């Protein structure tokens, strides 16, 4: 009886942790992370796009062999992360948004000499209306995350919002 109860408790804990991970990575939570930063600058919220999600899943699968941080060069905007730890997509959105301090909204350019702000501008681009994201564990044991955006909106020299 004790074995059965212990086994049940372990299975329940594993199921709970699995569900918690799925909840954290839900489209709603990924949208919430994006839309929090978009609201800060007064642009409309994004919606989840299954076509973009499929595109992101296909490209993430392609990158699973080498986990190289290479853009797909497709017709969508995109943000990428490669990590040796298993980050959440929500964490990736927060990471991209740390580039806000390197962005000058008046000139529409990055500031501070050599700093990148293109990930942030894609998150908050007024032109962008939808997003889809995916994550894959690569053969190298690293993780590859991609969010694809339609239409792309981070055009250098053009204000994002």
């Amino acid at each position: 009886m004790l074995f059965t109860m212990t086994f049940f408790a372990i299975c329940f804990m594993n199921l709970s942790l699995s569900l918690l991970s799925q909840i954290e990575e839900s489209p709603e939570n990924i949208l919430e992370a994006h839309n929090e930063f978009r609201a800060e600058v007064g642009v409309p919220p994004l919606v989840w796009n299954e076509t973009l999600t499929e595109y992101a899943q296909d490209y993430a699968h392609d990158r699973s062999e080498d986990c190289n941080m290479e853009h797909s060069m497709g017709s969508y905007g995109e943000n990428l992360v490669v990590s040796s730890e298993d980050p959440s997509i929500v964490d990736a959105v927060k990471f991209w948004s740390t580039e806000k301090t390197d962005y000058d909204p008046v000139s529409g350019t990055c500031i501070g000499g050599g700093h990148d702000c293109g990930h942030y501008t894609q998150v908050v681009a007024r032109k962008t209306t939808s997003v889809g994201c995916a994550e894959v564990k690569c053969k190298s044991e690293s993780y590859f995350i991609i969010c694809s955006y339609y239409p792309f909106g981070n055009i250098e020299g053009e204000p994002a919002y």
Side-chain angles (χ1 to χ4, degrees):
M1 179 71 144
L2 181 60
F3 173 76
T4 304
M5 288 180 16
T6 303
F7 179 74
F8 176 74
I10 290 171
C11 289
F12 180 75
M13 286 175 48
N14 285 338
L15 178 62
S16 296
L17 290 174
S18 174
L19 290 174
L20 182 61
S21 175
Q22 289 174 10
I23 289 169
E24 182 176 316
E25 294 297 305
S26 72
E28 293 81 11
N29 289 341
I30 296 167
L31 281 172
E32 182 180 326
H34 278 88
N35 291 334
E36 175 184 331
F37 295 104
R38 294 175 67 83
E40 288 178 3
V41 297
V43 297
L46 297 177
V47 297
W48 193 255
N49 183 313
E50 285 300 324
T51 300
L52 293 175
T53 302
E54 290 174 20
Y55 181 85
Q57 288 169 339
D58 288 345
Y59 189 67
H61 176 75
D62 291 348
R63 291 271 60 93
S64 67
E65 291 294 317
D66 57 23
C67 222
N68 287 343
M69 190 138 145
E70 297 175 7
H71 286 279
S72 69
M73 307 310 285
S75 57
Y76 304 121
E78 63 190 25
N79 282 340
L80 309 175
V81 166
V82 173
S83 176
S84 59
E85 297 182 21
D86 186 7
S88 70
I89 297 172
V90 169
D91 287 339
V93 174
K94 291 176 183 177
F95 174 70
W96 296 323
S97 296
T98 63
E99 296 175 358
K100 179 179 183 175
T101 57
D102 298 321
Y103 179 64
D104 176 17
V106 175
S107 67
T109 60
C110 299
I111 56 175
H115 293 283
D116 188 20
C117 65
H119 302 101
Y120 169 70
T121 57
Q122 183 56 82
V123 169
V124 299
R126 181 178 298 280
K127 288 182 178 180
T128 300
T129 58
S130 58
V131 64
C133 304
E135 178 181 10
V136 66
K137 185 174 183 178
C138 301
K139 286 190 175 185
S140 65
E141 300 297 313
S142 292
Y143 296 85
F144 183 91
I145 291 176
I146 175 175
C147 285
S148 298
Y149 302 87
Y150 180 83
F152 63 87
N154 55 341
I155 300 168
E156 191 172 341
E158 185 178 301
Y161 47 87

